[in-house]
Amino acid sequence: MKTPILEVQNVTMRFGGIVANRDVSFAAERGAITALIGPNGAGKTTIFNCITGFYRASEGRILLNGRNGPQDIGQLMTRPITGGSHLVTRAGIARTFQNIRLFKEMSVVENLLVAQHLATRNNLLSGVFRTRAYRAAETEAVDRAYFWLSQMNLASDANRLAGELPYGRQRRLEIARAMCTSPALICLDEPAAGLNPSETRELSEVIQRLCAEHDLSVLVIEHDMGLVMRIADHIVVLDHGEVISDGTPDSVANDPAVIAAYLGVSEEEVTA
Amino acid sequence: MQNNRLASLLKEAVLTFVISLILFGPISGLVLDGFGFRNELGRSVTLAAIITAGRVLVSLAGMSEIGKRLRSRLTSSNSGVTVNTGQERSPLLPLAVLFLAGLALPFFADKYFLGIAILALIYCLLGLGLNIVVGLAGLLDLGFVAFYAVGAYLLALGYQYLGLGFWSALVIAPFLAGLFGMVLAFPVLKMHGDYLAIVTLGFGEIIRLVLNNWLEFTGGPNGAPVPAPTLFGLEFTRTAKQGGVPIHEFLGISYSGDYKFWFIYVVLFLVVCAVIYAVHRLRVMPLGRMWEALREDEIACRSLGVNHVFTKLSAFMLGASTGGIAGVFFAVHQGFVNPTSFTFFESALILAIVVLGGLGSTVGVVLAAIVLTILPELLRDFAEYRVLVFGILMVVMMIWKPRGLVRLTRPAFFPSSHSEAGIALRLEPQTEAGR
C-alpha cells in the first residue's frame, strides 16, 4: 500500500478552554480526493487551518509525506525566526479560502506570478538590471501562469484586474493561484460555496482533472453533498470536533452516526 | 424644474452664508484690544458674503454644459486601477526630452529657482522612498523623517568625527539608514495599520529628540556644520578648505557661488532618475509584486509561501535607504543641519506627497512632490495662510480624487511565443483585441 500524503495523528486544538478538535486522526491518500464534511461548527476549518499551517495544533502531529520525505507541519511553524506558515506552503501544501482572498487590485497574471516567487529571481539587482537569468525566469513564470490559466479556462481574463472577475471565475483563479506554488496536496475550503449548479459541475470536473492529470492529492471541505459524493474517493466526517465516520462515500452515507449528526435524532432514540 | 433648482441654490447659499458666518465671526469679527475686544462683525459678514458668492458661482458653473462635462470627467476617473493592454506607445521619447530638459535646467534658472528645484528633487526622493513603504507595501509610516535625519546627520557628524566627505556619505547613507529601518522594523512588523503608525511616529520623535538633546555628540539645537561637496578633489568654495583645488582656479574661470548648486542639482537629478528607474522596475519585479500582494492580503500571501516578515523588512529598509540619500543631499544643500528640520510636520508633508500622488504611483509621487514644493513658494505672499491652503487642497483632493492625482496602471503580461498558451493566443488574436 502507498503511504498516505497526509497523516493527521491525534490532533487536539484548544482555544483557551474551548476544545475545537479532540483527538482527530485521519489520513489523506496520495493521488485521491479526500473530503472533510460535517455540520456547521464541527471544527472542519480549524483542522484545515492546522494542516495548512495557520494554527499550531495544541496536541498531536500532522505529517506531510511530500517530495522531501515526511515533514512535521507543527515543527515547520515553530522553527525559530524563519518559521511560519509560509514554510508549510513551501513543503507542498497549498490552500484556498472559504471567503475568496485574491489580490484584487492586481491583474490576474500578477496574482499567479506572486505565487511563483520561489521560482522567479527575487534578487534586487538582477531585476533592476534585467539580467539574462532574471528574464528567463520571468518568462518561464509567465508561461506557467498562462498554462494554469488555460487549465482553468481563464486565459482570456489574464490581463484583467482580479477583483473585476465574476465570482465563479474568482474561485477558479484562486485554485489556479494555489496550483502555481506546485503543491503536492491542495486544500480547498468550500470551493463550491456560492456557485450555481453549472459552475459547480465545472468545478468538480476541474478538481477531478487536477487529481488525474497533475499527480495531485486533494483535500476538500464542502457542504454541497452532491459534489462531495460525486468526486470524493474517501470521506471523513467531523462532528463536535471529533471524527465520527471515515470511509468510502457509500459507507459514510449509510452510517447511522452521520445521519444522526446531520438530521438529528428523535428523542426516543436518545433515551433508548 | 427651474424653480426647484433655484430653491435649492438659494438654500445652499443661505447654508453656506450661515456656516461661514459662524466660522469667521469669532476669528475675524472680534479683535483683541488690550484686555477687552472690539467688535468688527462687519468684516466677517463681508468675508461670508464673498464665500457665499463663490459657492453660488461654483454651483452655477456646475449646472452649465461645460461644468457638467468637467464633473463627469473628474468623477469617472475615480475607478482607480486599470491594466495596460500591452499596446501602449513606449514613453521613451518624452522621457528622454524630460531628462535632457532637467539636466539643462541650471543654464536657464536663477539661483532662487535652482534652490527650489533642488528642494523639489529632495522631496521627490523622500516621496519615492515613502512610496515604497506606504504605497507599495501598505505599511503606514509616520516617522519617515527619522531616516532623512539619519542621512543628513551622517554627513555632518561623519565629517566632524571621521572626516567623511559628500561622496562617501552618499554611499554609506543608504546602508546606515537601511540599518536604522531594520532596527525599527523588527519589533513593529507584527503590528498593523494604526498601531504601526503610532510606533513609527514615536520612532521619528525619538530620533529628533536624541539629536536635540545629545549636546556633546550632535551639537544639540545648535546643529552641526556640513562640508561643501567636492568633485575629484575639486572644491566649490572660493578658497580650498578641504585640501583640494577650487574649481574656478582649475578651469580658469571667475568664481561664482552658483557652481556648488549646479553641481548638487546635477548629481541629485541623476540620483533621482536612477531611483525612479529602480522603483519603476520594482513594480514589475517579484519583490515589488510581493509587497503589493502583502498590502492586498497578508493571509493569502502566507498561504502562497511568501515570507511576510522578510518581505516587509525589505520594504522598510529600501524605503529608509532612499530617505537616507535624500538626507545627504539636504545637508549638503543647506550646509548646516539642526533638529528643527526633522519635525513631525516634515513626515506629514512627505506622507501628503505620497497620498496626493496616488499610493503606489511613481509618476504621481514625482508630480505631487514638485507641486507641494513649488506651491508654498508661489504662496509666499500668503505665508500666514499656507497651511490653510494646504488643508483645503487635501480636502478637495480626497473628495474628487481619493486615489491620487495619477491613475494607477498595472503592467500587462503575455506568454512567450514558444509556449502552448502563446501559440493558442496567436491563433485567436481577436479574443484578446476584443477586450
Side-chain angles (χ1 to χ4, degrees):
Chain A
M1 192 192 153
K2 288 188 289 185
T3 51
I5 183 92
L6 181 82
E7 289 173 80
V8 178
Q9 298 169 347
N10 309 97
V11 166
T12 297
M13 182 74 205
R14 283 189 216 93
F15 296 102
I18 297 168
V19 182
N21 290 115
R22 181 177 289 121
D23 205 19
V24 173
S25 300
F26 65 88
E29 285 159 46
R30 196 178 294 273
I33 301 174
T34 307
L36 197 58
I37 63 171
N40 286 328
K44 301 184 295 290
T45 299
T46 309
I47 198 83
F48 217 69
N49 282 338
C50 290
I51 292 170
T52 52
F54 278 79
Y55 295 156
R56 169 90 174 93
S58 318
E59 282 168 31
R61 273 200 327 165
I62 300 172
L63 275 184
L64 173 74
N65 297 310
R67 281 158 299 215
N68 313 326
Q71 277 182 294
D72 187 343
I73 300 297
Q75 261 176 17
L76 287 179
M77 287 182 63
T78 46
R79 191 182 289 176
I81 303 178
T82 58
S85 40
H86 58 275
L87 287 183
V88 177
T89 311
R90 294 181 189 184
I93 299 184
R95 73 167 294 177
T96 65
F97 294 87
Q98 194 172 344
N99 39 357
I100 304 174
R101 286 180 177 277
L102 290 172
F103 308 125
K104 291 203 170 67
E105 297 214 332
M106 298 173 79
S107 77
V108 169
V109 185
E110 282 179 300
N111 265 274
L112 303 193
L113 290 180
V114 170
Q116 299 181 51
H117 65 100
L118 287 179
T120 47
R121 291 273 165 150
N122 296 337
N123 189 312
L124 195 64
L125 292 179
S126 69
V128 170
F129 296 115
R130 302 175 98 150
T131 57
R132 188 188 294 268
Y134 165 82
R135 277 176 295 167
E138 279 291 287
T139 319
E140 200 182 311
V142 172
D143 284 348
R144 194 175 307 125
Y146 269 93
F147 170 74
W148 282 113
L149 284 179
S150 58
Q151 287 288 309
M152 297 286 164
N153 300 330
L154 288 168
S156 57
D157 293 322
N159 284 309
R160 289 178 72 188
L161 284 189
E164 280 175 359
L165 295 185
Y167 186 82
R169 285 174 167 256
Q170 291 195 1
R171 283 258 172 229
R172 269 185 282 147
L173 174 57
E174 216 189 8
I175 297 177
R177 188 179 66 178
M179 287 308 303
C180 277
T181 62
S182 36
L185 171 73
I186 184 168
C187 300
L188 308 172
D189 197 348
E190 301 204 14
L195 299 188
N196 64 32
S198 78
E199 284 174 327
T200 309
R201 214 171 313 119
E202 199 181 344
L203 178 77
S204 64
E205 277 160 24
V206 164
I207 295 175
Q208 281 173 318
R209 197 170 60 220
L210 287 181
C211 213
E213 291 175 14
H214 299 287
D215 185 29
L216 192 73
S217 315
V218 181
L219 179 67
V220 58
I221 291 184
E222 191 45 71
H223 276 302
D224 184 332
M225 283 307 139
L227 176 71
V228 169
M229 292 297 163
R230 198 160 57 238
I231 66 170
D233 301 309
H234 169 204
I235 296 182
V236 178
V237 189
L238 285 179
D239 189 26
H240 297 295
E242 294 175 59
V243 177
I244 57 169
S245 184
D246 185 344
T248 60
D250 283 336
S251 69
V252 165
N254 299 319
D255 189 331
V258 176
I259 296 169
Y262 267 91
L263 301 179
V265 280
S266 60
E267 258 175 56
E268 302 93 82
E269 280 175 80
V270 174
T271 46
Chain B
M1 189 64 205
Q2 205 66 30
N3 248 338
N4 204 348
R5 263 194 205 167
L6 204 65
S8 71
L9 194 65
L10 204 68
K11 216 164 86 181
E12 236 173 44
V14 171
L15 193 71
T16 314
F17 186 75
V18 171
I19 290 178
S20 39
L21 204 59
I22 292 171
L23 276 177
F24 282 112
I27 293 175
S28 61
L30 302 175
V31 178
L32 279 182
D33 188 8
F35 289 107
F37 48 81
R38 260 182 303 128
N39 200 348
E40 294 219 14
L41 279 176
R43 280 210 313 213
S44 41
V45 171
T46 325
L47 279 172
I50 293 172
I51 283 178
T52 313
R55 179 75 186 89
V56 170
L57 274 181
V58 169
S59 294
L60 284 176
M63 282 176 197
S64 71
E65 274 309 305
I66 305 165
K68 266 179 199 158
R69 230 177 302 145
L70 196 70
R71 180 142 53 160
S72 69
R73 261 220 354 243
L74 277 175
T75 44
S76 68
S77 52
N78 268 354
S79 54
V81 192
T82 48
V83 185
N84 287 345
T85 54
Q87 272 135 27
E88 283 86 3
R89 271 182 303 142
S90 161
L92 211 59
L93 187 71
L95 278 185
V97 170
L98 264 181
F99 179 76
L100 291 178
L103 266 187
L105 186 80
F107 298 107
F108 305 112
D110 58 351
K111 194 178 169 191
Y112 170 68
F113 189 76
L114 201 62
I116 299 175
I118 291 176
L119 209 59
L121 286 179
I122 288 174
Y123 278 105
C124 270
L125 264 187
L126 287 170
L128 288 168
L130 191 62
N131 190 32
I132 294 177
V133 184
V134 179
L136 295 182
L139 307 164
L140 184 53
D141 184 350
L142 291 181
F144 194 67
V145 77
F147 308 119
Y148 187 35
V150 166
Y153 267 88
L154 169 73
L155 180 52
L157 300 181
Y159 174 65
Q160 198 172 327
Y161 295 105
L162 305 169
L164 289 183
F166 167 69
W167 289 102
S168 37
L170 194 60
V171 173
I172 299 171
F175 293 102
L176 188 72
L179 195 72
F180 270 79
M182 194 171 86
V183 168
L184 166 66
F186 249 130
V188 305
L189 280 176
K190 286 227 160 74
M191 302 186 191
H192 297 268
D194 312 350
Y195 307 103
L196 183 70
I198 294 293
V199 173
T200 51
L201 175 69
F203 182 74
E205 284 300 285
I206 287 171
I207 293 277
R208 188 179 65 82
L209 288 175
V210 166
L211 292 177
N212 209 10
N213 291 305
W214 195 356
L215 272 176
E216 312 85 79
F217 184 61
T218 67
N222 300 330
V226 176
T230 57
L231 176 66
F232 301 121
L234 299 176
E235 294 185 28
F236 294 91
T237 38
R238 186 179 290 276
T239 53
K241 285 181 184 143
Q242 298 174 57
V245 184
I247 192 161
H248 56 278
E249 282 177 17
F250 182 76
L251 294 176
I253 48 178
S254 60
Y255 171 76
S256 157
D258 293 352
Y259 295 154
K260 177 183 146 191
F261 295 103
W262 287 23
F263 170 71
I264 293 174
Y265 175 84
V266 170
V267 176
L268 180 56
F269 184 75
L270 293 176
V271 167
V272 168
C273 287
V275 170
I276 288 176
Y277 176 71
V279 172
H280 172 73
R281 286 293 307 155
L282 270 172
R283 288 202 63 213
V284 290
M285 271 164 55
L287 188 62
R289 277 199 298 264
M290 282 197 275
W291 291 340
E292 293 195 77
L294 209 62
R295 176 193 68 200
E296 297 285 310
D297 198 323
E298 188 178 324
I299 290 180
C301 264
R302 277 160 58 191
S303 88
L304 297 175
V306 173
N307 188 335
H308 58 120
V309 175
F310 285 173
T311 310
K312 278 186 188 176
L313 202 64
S314 63
F316 234 97
M317 288 176 65
L318 273 177
S321 302
T322 318
I325 297 176
V328 172
F329 279 106
F330 175 75
V332 84
H333 176 227
Q334 299 283 322
F336 170 81
V337 287
N338 83 348
T340 47
S341 311
F342 308 108
T343 54
F344 172 66
F345 185 77
E346 210 67 12
S347 285
L349 186 68
I350 306 166
L351 192 64
I353 288 174
V354 174
V355 173
L356 211 61
L359 292 169
S361 158
T362 314
V363 182
V365 165
V366 172
L367 279 182
I370 292 170
V371 167
L372 285 195
T373 357
I374 292 180
L375 195 70
E377 296 303 325
L378 294 180
L379 292 175
R380 277 247 171 254
D381 297 337
F382 309 92
E384 312 255 299
Y385 299 98
R386 226 194 277 184
V387 182
L388 182 73
V389 172
F390 236 62
I392 292 174
L393 191 73
M394 290 302 270
V395 170
V396 169
M397 280 291 299
M398 285 302 111
I399 292 173
W400 278 325
K401 285 253 175 194
R403 305 294 303 261
L405 284 171
V406 175
R407 190 172 182 176
L408 281 180
T409 55
R410 306 223 53 101
F413 290 91
F414 296 100
S416 63
S417 47
H418 55 262
S419 77
E420 271 177 55
I423 292 163
L425 269 184
R426 192 140 313 180
L427 291 177
E428 287 183 274
Q430 66 272 27
T431 51
E432 197 60 33
R435 293 240 157 251

